[in-house]
Amino acid sequence: MTNPSIADNDPPRRSRARRREAMINAIATILGCMALVIMIATVVRVVMIKLWESARVNPEYVQSVYENDQDRRWSGKIKEHPSLLSDSSDFRPQEVSPPREITHPASGTSQSSKLKLMGGATAAPSAIEDIESKRPQIEQSLRGFFEAASMDQQLVYARDPQRVRPLMENYYRNHPHTPLEWKHLGWILPVEEPGYRLGYAQAVFNNAEPVSLIIEEMDNGTFRVDWESSVRYGDIDWEEFIKTQPSAPKLFRVIASKPQNIPPEAPPMGSEMLEIKHPDDNDVIYAYFDRKDPKFQPLLQQLQTGNWKDVPLTLRLCFPGPTGSGKNARIAEVEGKGWLILHGTRS
């Protein structure tokens, strides 16, 4: 005979068991969903990290090359950019406040940090030492250089004045000499180049945009400005060079990149083609050089250092064919590093 009390309790017991089983199933379902979500999120994160690492570029390179120019064209701000230098530190030129409020062009860059010339060696500790302590002398030289009322006065503050004098005479026949109204010296940084005491400085004016330029410390403690690179000196005007297409090599300070488009005229076998532009002109030409020629190894080094984009170079260019033939220009020689020509060494 069945116990009535046990029979009476069976339905509630079964109901509790079903509720417990349903709760366990719900918890298991929730935990399973959470595990699935976590697994999917982990996979997505790993994939995104891989994609990011494969596509990541140097932000400083993008900043210095493209700036606000998104169509992979020339940056167009060569005067204010470190166009003579490769980026060996977190270098970011900017206008600086007056003295006592000077901010270095890169956050976290110590006074011992040194920039190097494009394609230059980094092992030898050669530059303007303790450059900040020499700020008054540097400002005096730069102010004298930019406020000079004549070419002769400017030559007092120029590097290699005897060699530069005829170049100045040639340049100022077609370019008026205009003194600038000095405001103050901006940032200053040492430039590393074995055998030289070089620096990079920003001059700030009341009536013009800031200018960045190379300076050199002399044996007597004075400082000289590299006039040639400051005006991007060339033997003839860029427009005249393109129009006349001379067969004799002419020296220019230019900006070179790997061509974005295939030029119409194919270069000779074994040659490298470059897209070349003058910093003060929009007309672009194509020029080639022999990659296997040992004399162009410094050129290849500078191009590789600059990632083959907007690389400042000092070249001798000419045209191999007759005037108006439409042929590409030829790179006859490469001189100096960036826009700076080095003659011998300074002790």
Side-chain angles (χ1 to χ4, degrees), residues 193-213:
E193 176 63 18
Y196 291 81
R197 296 192 295 269
L198 299 173
Y200 199 48
Q202 182 195 52
V204 184
F205 310 99
N206 288 318
N207 60 343
E209 292 296 319
V211 173
S212 306
L213 66 166

Side-chain angles (χ1 to χ4, degrees), residues 226-237:
D226 188 69
W227 173 83
E228 292 173 275
S229 61
S230 71
V231 299
R232 285 87 61 205
Y233 178 80
D235 286 343
I236 61 175
D237 287 340

Side-chain angles (χ1 to χ4, degrees), residues 137 141 156 197 216-224 347:
Q137 297 94 315
S141 296
V156 174
R197 296 192 295 269
E216 181 176 9
E217 183 179 15
M218 311 309 291
D219 291 338
N220 61 3
T222 62
F223 292 85
R224 300 290 182 92
S347 59

Side-chain angles (χ1 to χ4, degrees), residues 296-313:
F296 290 120
Q297 287 305 307
L299 173 57
L300 285 170
Q301 185 181 10
Q302 293 184 67
L303 290 166
Q304 290 164 0
T305 302
N307 294 315
W308 295 77
K309 176 63 179 178
D310 286 1
V311 181
L313 299 171

Side-chain angles (χ1 to χ4, degrees), residues 34-74:
M34 292 177 63
L36 181 61
V37 170
I38 292 173
M39 182 177 65
I40 293 174
T42 302
V43 171
V44 171
R45 181 173 182 273
V46 171
V47 171
M48 292 300 293
I49 289 174
K50 294 297 183 183
L51 289 175
W52 169 249
E53 289 179 349
S54 65
R56 185 164 50 191
V57 296
N58 185 344
E60 293 303 320
Y61 176 66
V62 174
Q63 170 75 15
S64 63
V65 170
Y66 298 108
E67 195 78 14
N68 297 322
D69 201 354
Q70 299 299 323
D71 60 353
R72 297 179 67 84
R73 297 297 296 170
W74 308 101

Side-chain angles (χ1 to χ4, degrees), residues 85 101 209 239 320:
L85 309 171
E101 298 179 4
E209 292 296 319
E239 292 181 357

Side-chain angles (χ1 to χ4, degrees), residues 30 86 127 133 152 165 205-206 220 236 252 277 345:
I30 292 172
S86 61
S133 68
D152 288 334
R165 175 181 284 276
F205 310 99
N206 288 318
N220 61 3
I236 61 175
F252 294 99
K277 179 182 181 294
T345 58

